[in-house]
């Protein structure tokens, strides 16, 4: 199996775990190995690890445990949603219209 297929499978497993935890607005960005979870919270698969970044903060988790990674990412997602930047709603409407409300 090539690296792109491995990445796509790993990202699919993580997405399924996140959805199971109630994080439903997750979507792929550009390639098969990157998920956007929330404003600035992005998860990538590379070299057997899920690596997520929020601003300068970087974390990683073994890809053999998508459930554990999903719990950690979902926890941060909830924290971020509790303190949504004031500029987000207006920017989302301006750039993408009303459909963007579910997809930061």
């Amino acid at each position: 199996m090539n690296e792109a297929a491995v990445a796509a499978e790993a990202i699919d497993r993580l997405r399924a775990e996140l959805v199971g935890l109630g994080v439903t607005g997750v979507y792929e960005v550009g390639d098969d190995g990157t998920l956007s979870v929330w404003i600035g919270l992005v998860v990538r698969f590379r070299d057997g690890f899920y690596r997520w970044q929020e601003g300068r903060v970087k974390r990683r988790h073994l890809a053999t445990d998508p459930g554990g990674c999903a719990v950690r990412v979902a926890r941060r997602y909830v924290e971020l949603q509790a303190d949504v930047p004031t500029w987000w709603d207006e920017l989302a409407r301006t750039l993408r219209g009303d459909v963007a409300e579910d997809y930061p």
Side-chain angles (χ1 to χ4, degrees), residues 22-25 37-38 41 73-82:
V23 183
T24 59
V37 179
W38 186 245
L41 179 58
V73 172
R75 186 178 303 132
R76 185 63 186 137
Y77 168 79
V78 168
E79 291 170 355
L80 290 171
Q81 278 197 320

Side-chain angles (χ1 to χ4, degrees), residues 38-39 79-89:
W38 186 245
I39 306 165
E79 291 170 355
L80 290 171
Q81 278 197 320
D83 191 23
V84 177
T86 55
W87 50 263
W88 173 248
D89 289 331

Side-chain angles (χ1 to χ4, degrees), residues 51-87:
R51 301 168 189 272
W52 70 92
Q53 180 174 346
E54 177 206 344
R56 291 189 215 169
V57 177
K58 296 180 181 180
R59 305 273 190 253
R60 70 180 193 168
H61 196 94
L62 281 173
T64 56
D65 182 22
C69 180
V71 168
R72 293 176 71 190
V73 172
R75 186 178 303 132
R76 185 63 186 137
Y77 168 79
V78 168
E79 291 170 355
L80 290 171
Q81 278 197 320
D83 191 23
V84 177
T86 55
W87 50 263

